[in-house]
Amino acid sequence: MSITVTAIRRPFNARLLYRWLYKRLFLPRNLVHGLLSKAKQLTVREQILHRRQLAGSLAQRQPGSVSLIESDAYQLFQPEQLPGARETAEHCVELYRQFCAGGGDTEALQRNPSKRFLLSVIAGNEFADQSELLHFMVSRPVLDAVSRYLGTIPVVEGAALWWTPPNESVQSSQAWHIDELAQRQVKIILNCFEVTEDQGPLHFLPANISERVRQLAGHHRGRLADEWIEQADAGSHVRRAIGPAGSGIIFDSSRCLHFGSRGNRRDRLVLTFHYLPLDAPTETRYNLRLSRLPPGCEDLDEVQRLALGFS
Ligand SMILES: O=C(O)CCC(=O)C(=O)O
């Protein structure tokens, strides 16, 4: 039986409005989040309900599969724990090789002379013809774990293949921060090369420790100085996403303090993508919003299609 697949109605893109309210007018984050989420809910009420119900009816977690628990909101994983992780990492390395062969690396460095980190090899809708990678992003063990944690079937809102060359800067996401664009979201960072200590691995704190540190520091927005981690006696809780190609981390980047790409002495290549509720307040700059289901994705089930924005 053939089914008709159509792009679902998506709420309006609130990025400009969010930036204006939060960054220009400096309104409190909770207020901005609440306003924008409410406005979005009005436009897609039925879908939100459907996604919540579907998330509630998911089967129990299989022993050994990934999961996120409320208190610490992260899980490090090894390649064998996530089906397809190793192959996905290999595929990304091939894309990076093609990027370099076409001079993309030189161009990216010239375009960003003062930013030698998280340079996009591909980003956002450029994933439209990467059906293998899209399959990995919506693979059921991960999607189910995320849906249980968020209480809804989310959308894969953004994706990027990031390359970080050697650098010595400490700016922007190289300093401790949370991702401020939602109250909760789940991000995956997949190591595509083996990542060791000298490749600027992601450093992070579990959510409950992050909350304690932020409270002590009175942190509401922006970056947090390293000293606060020591002051809060949280140094021993810092974790690193180090490991072979295909290893990585799944975590709530809006609750877990983190930074990465700091002090690289060697290149690092990571695939990142993240899941947000449909009514999340705002979008990222590497937004994935596909207008039609990409060829090669016809076999996806309903939950997976919803995560890519299709009925
Ligand atoms: O891995 C990194 O370099 C940092 C990533 C990061 O901060 C983020 O994805 O929000």
Side-chain angles (χ1 to χ4, degrees):
M1 189 181 67
S2 77
I3 46 162
T4 315
V5 175
T6 50
I8 53 156
R9 183 181 169 145
R10 298 282 281 261
F12 59 95
N13 187 312
R15 192 164 154 76
L16 280 180
L17 187 57
Y18 171 81
R19 290 180 72 79
W20 190 69
L21 294 172
Y22 186 57
K23 302 245 157 109
R24 278 282 178 92
L25 295 186
F26 227 69
L27 294 179
R29 193 157 64 102
N30 285 353
L31 177 69
V32 176
H33 280 177
L35 281 175
L36 293 177
S37 281
K38 277 273 166 334
K40 288 188 172 188
Q41 282 160 18
L42 291 177
T43 65
V44 288
R45 200 190 290 275
E46 277 177 22
Q47 257 210 78
I48 288 174
L49 216 60
H50 179 53
R51 285 171 183 263
R52 275 191 202 143
Q53 281 166 350
L54 215 57
S57 67
L58 291 174
Q60 292 290 313
R61 174 176 102 84
Q62 295 297 312
S65 66
V66 286
S67 76
L68 284 171
I69 57 168
E70 184 61 25
S71 57
D72 53 18
Y74 80 91
Q75 188 177 344
L76 289 159
F77 60 84
Q78 290 302 313
E80 55 280 1
Q81 274 174 285
L82 276 199
R86 214 185 300 266
E87 295 76 7
T88 301
E90 281 166 12
H91 187 99
C92 289
V93 171
E94 186 49 38
L95 290 175
Y96 169 70
R97 288 213 176 100
Q98 289 166 14
F99 172 76
C100 295
D105 51 348
T106 314
E107 268 171 45
L109 288 172
Q110 280 166 354
R111 243 194 339 266
N112 304 282
S114 60
K115 181 181 181 265
R116 290 178 65 93
F117 59 95
L118 301 188
L119 302 170
S120 291
V121 175
I122 58 170
N125 287 339
E126 289 168 351
F127 282 90
D129 58 359
Q130 299 295 333
S131 64
E132 277 181 49
L133 301 186
L134 294 171
H135 270 89
F136 181 67
M137 291 177 199
V138 295
S139 68
R140 285 302 295 268
V142 174
L143 193 48
D144 288 17
V146 175
S147 301
R148 284 190 203 100
Y149 175 75
L150 293 176
T152 182
I153 309 292
V155 282
V156 180
E157 192 280 334
L161 178 57
W162 277 330
W163 162 54
T164 295
N167 71 82
E168 287 174 4
S169 53
V170 181
Q171 53 169 300
S172 184
S173 60
Q174 295 174 305
W176 288 104
H177 66 283
I178 52 161
D179 292 346
E180 295 179 5
L181 43 86
Q183 296 294 318
R184 278 170 186 247
Q185 64 172 297
V186 177
K187 191 173 255 180
I188 292 206
I189 293 190
L190 176 80
N191 295 325
C192 300
F193 296 156
E194 180 184 26
V195 172
T196 56
E197 192 56 64
D198 63 358
Q199 281 159 296
L202 185 90
H203 287 57
F204 66 97
L205 283 170
N208 47 2
I209 308 292
S210 297
E211 276 145 28
R212 179 165 68 72
V213 174
R214 292 183 61 224
Q215 214 162 35
L216 183 82
H219 177 250
H220 296 293
R221 59 168 79 204
R223 314 293 150 188
L224 191 72
D226 289 355
E227 290 72 42
W228 281 109
I229 309 300
E230 295 315 318
Q231 287 228 20
D233 210 11
S236 63
H237 296 282
V238 175
R239 311 263 182 275
R240 294 164 185 81
I242 283 175
S247 65
I249 175 164
I250 171 168
F251 71 122
D252 183 339
S253 61
S254 289
R255 291 183 59 218
C256 297
L257 280 163
H258 61 282
F259 74 81
S261 300
R262 204 198 277 192
N264 288 55
R265 274 174 278 138
R266 291 191 294 135
D267 297 278
R268 169 171 170 254
L269 184 72
V270 293
L271 175 68
T272 188
F273 48 97
H274 62 160
Y275 306 88
L276 284 169
L278 190 65
D279 57 349
T282 187
E283 296 75 22
T284 52
R285 68 197 141 79
Y286 44 95
N287 186 217
L288 180 71
R289 200 174 276 218
L290 304 170
S291 52
R292 63 189 187 89
L293 192 71
C297 288
E298 298 80 5
D299 59 335
L300 297 179
D301 64 28
E302 185 196 359
V303 173
Q304 294 173 310
R305 288 198 305 273
L306 282 176
L308 286 183
F310 295 90
S311 63

